[in-house]
Amino acid sequence: MTDSTTTADLDVRLEKHRVELTGYCYRMLGSSFEAEDAVQDTMVRAWRSYDKFEGRSSLRSWLYRIATNVCLDMLTAGNKRARPMDLTDSTPLAQAALSPRPDHTWLEPMPDARILPTVEDPAEAAVAKESVRLAFMAALQQLPPKQRAVLILREVLAWRASEVAELLGTTVASVNSALQRARATLAEREGQHGAEAVVSDPLDEEQQKLLDRYMAAFEGYDMTALTALLHEDAIMTMPPFDLWLTGHDDITGFMTTLGSACEGSRLVPVQVNGLPGFAQYKPDPEEGGYTPWAVQVLEISEGRLTGFHFFLDTKRWFPLFGLPLHLEAEADQVEQGV
């Protein structure tokens, strides 16, 4: 530690980069908690080696170099996180079975506030949001780790090829070649498993009305109203189960059979993966009120819901989103003056 940099000063300087570094590590790793672990490791390494940082690059570039090395080390196991539709075929409702897979299988959701720093440029903000949407994140996971880093640094963060080459310790030609191969892989995957989510930032009036109608239909468990909001090829997933359903008939059929315990649920809006979503609480027959059931991520295209994804590991997700682990019934809230 230099005399001119106090402990508190360095803490402040490092913390300024935490959100954007978390976004970078999340795109690299596909895991909310691994991303936060990677950033913490990055901060510790930066702290310990700050005396060796000679200012030949910016502090931000240096932190990205450390974070990239941390992520590449974590990715040597070769695990590629995925969505259910990346692993299995769609299942007809008549054959639906809830088969869980281990946590490390799945692409994980992430609150926008933890990965999307505030920026003044609307175009920059839009690119950042699009780059954490589930479909793009799933495509990233198919790239070899160094191609993944190159694509994120060049296409999402708008680094120059020379800057990426310096960070990775390679040549500009190598960076350009990796970027070309990464783009080709992503182009092959484009359009797989339904339409891409098209969501304005902020939501336009029609999209907000669609969400309001969805919330009313889901809380009322009105399958006729819900069917009217779903694209005919809509997709529903429920990690950690590998089951996924296609089409409004199978989706609403599931919700009234295997998923019937969700009737009477309450929804709380959240911002997740650059998309609108809801924290779903279902009725708690033992303690009254409502208990956490899922973080829902919604995909919208052409005025319809094209995908909704239920992440069910609520003991992990609700604290991450700063959500309570119990909701009182409305009558109790009124009595308590809530």
Side-chain angles (χ1 to χ4, degrees):
M1 187 75 60
T2 62
D3 293 338
S4 60
T5 306
T6 67
T7 299
D9 288 341
L10 183 55
D11 281 342
V12 170
R13 292 179 67 199
L14 294 177
E15 281 300 317
K16 285 180 180 177
H17 300 283
R18 183 176 290 276
V19 173
E20 65 170 311
L21 287 172
T22 305
Y24 175 63
C25 293
Y26 175 64
R27 295 178 185 98
M28 285 290 291
L29 301 170
S31 163
S32 318
F33 296 102
E34 287 183 3
E36 297 205 325
D37 287 347
V39 173
Q40 194 56 35
D41 191 2
T42 298
M43 296 297 188
V44 170
R45 293 189 190 192
W47 179 270
R48 288 176 176 168
S49 58
Y50 187 76
D51 285 342
K52 300 174 185 175
F53 172 57
E54 299 172 352
R56 285 178 294 188
S57 62
S58 69
L59 178 65
R60 179 173 181 257
S61 297
W62 184 60
L63 289 171
Y64 269 95
R65 182 196 300 269
I66 298 171
T68 300
N69 289 332
V70 170
C71 289
L72 292 177
D73 287 346
M74 293 174 73
L75 287 167
T76 53
N79 181 48
K80 296 178 180 178
R81 288 178 177 267
R83 304 168 299 171
M85 54 273 226
D86 301 319
L87 302 177
T88 65
D89 292 328
S90 177
T91 306
L93 178 59
Q95 299 170 19
L98 298 177
S99 304
R101 295 201 187 193
D103 289 341
H104 62 74
T105 307
W106 303 115
L107 184 64
E108 297 178 347
M110 192 66 150
D112 285 1
R114 288 181 178 259
I115 50 174
L116 297 175
T118 302
V119 294
E120 294 182 3
D121 182 353
E124 187 180 339
V127 169
K129 281 200 167 188
E130 288 167 9
S131 71
V132 293
R133 291 181 183 166
L134 295 174
F136 185 78
M137 288 286 298
L140 280 178
Q141 302 305 301
Q142 301 305 309
L143 300 175
K146 285 198 174 179
Q147 281 187 33
R148 204 179 305 178
V150 167
L151 185 90
I152 297 166
L153 290 164
R154 293 282 285 122
E155 303 276 87
V156 178
L157 301 177
W159 285 39
R160 294 191 296 272
S162 58
E163 294 173 318
V164 178
E166 183 179 352
L167 182 146
L168 293 174
T170 186
T171 64
V172 169
S174 177
V175 166
N176 289 336
S177 176
L179 180 61
Q180 188 174 3
R181 293 196 302 274
R183 283 173 173 167
T185 300
L186 263 58
E188 288 174 8
R189 289 179 56 90
E190 193 169 348
Q192 288 183 13
H193 304 308
E196 289 292 319
V198 181
V199 182
S200 301
D201 182 26
L203 296 177
D204 64 33
E205 186 178 355
E206 289 305 311
Q207 290 167 348
Q208 188 57 58
K209 285 181 180 177
L210 178 65
L211 287 181
D212 292 343
R213 290 168 62 198
Y214 169 78
M215 187 172 180
F218 194 95
E219 290 191 338
Y221 231 58
D222 183 339
M223 294 301 120
T224 301
L226 187 59
T227 297
L229 306 178
L230 294 176
H231 190 277
E232 62 181 11
D233 295 323
I235 287 170
M236 176 180 174
T237 69
M238 292 164 285
F241 301 116
D242 58 15
L243 170 74
W244 62 284
L245 301 167
T246 307
H248 46 62
D249 289 343
D250 276 4
I251 289 171
T252 55
F254 178 89
M255 292 175 68
T256 54
T257 53
L258 290 174
S260 61
C262 290
E263 185 169 358
S265 289
R266 293 292 172 262
L267 301 182
V268 177
V270 295
Q271 296 297 316
V272 50
N273 284 84
L275 293 164
F278 293 96
Q280 178 192 342
Y281 292 82
K282 71 173 185 176
D284 186 339
E286 295 181 1
E287 298 184 16
Y290 301 91
T291 189
W293 184 246
V295 169
Q296 301 183 7
V297 184
L298 305 186
E299 295 173 323
I300 300 171
S301 181
E302 298 178 352
R304 295 284 181 92
L305 291 170
T306 56
F308 58 144
H309 308 284
F310 294 70
F311 292 90
L312 302 180
D313 192 353
T314 54
K315 288 182 180 178
R316 301 174 76 214
W317 305 134
F318 276 51
L320 186 72
F321 281 78
L323 294 161
L325 293 177
H326 184 79
L327 282 186
E328 298 294 339
E330 283 82 350
D332 295 338
Q333 292 178 349
V334 171
E335 289 175 9
Q336 296 166 13
V338 176

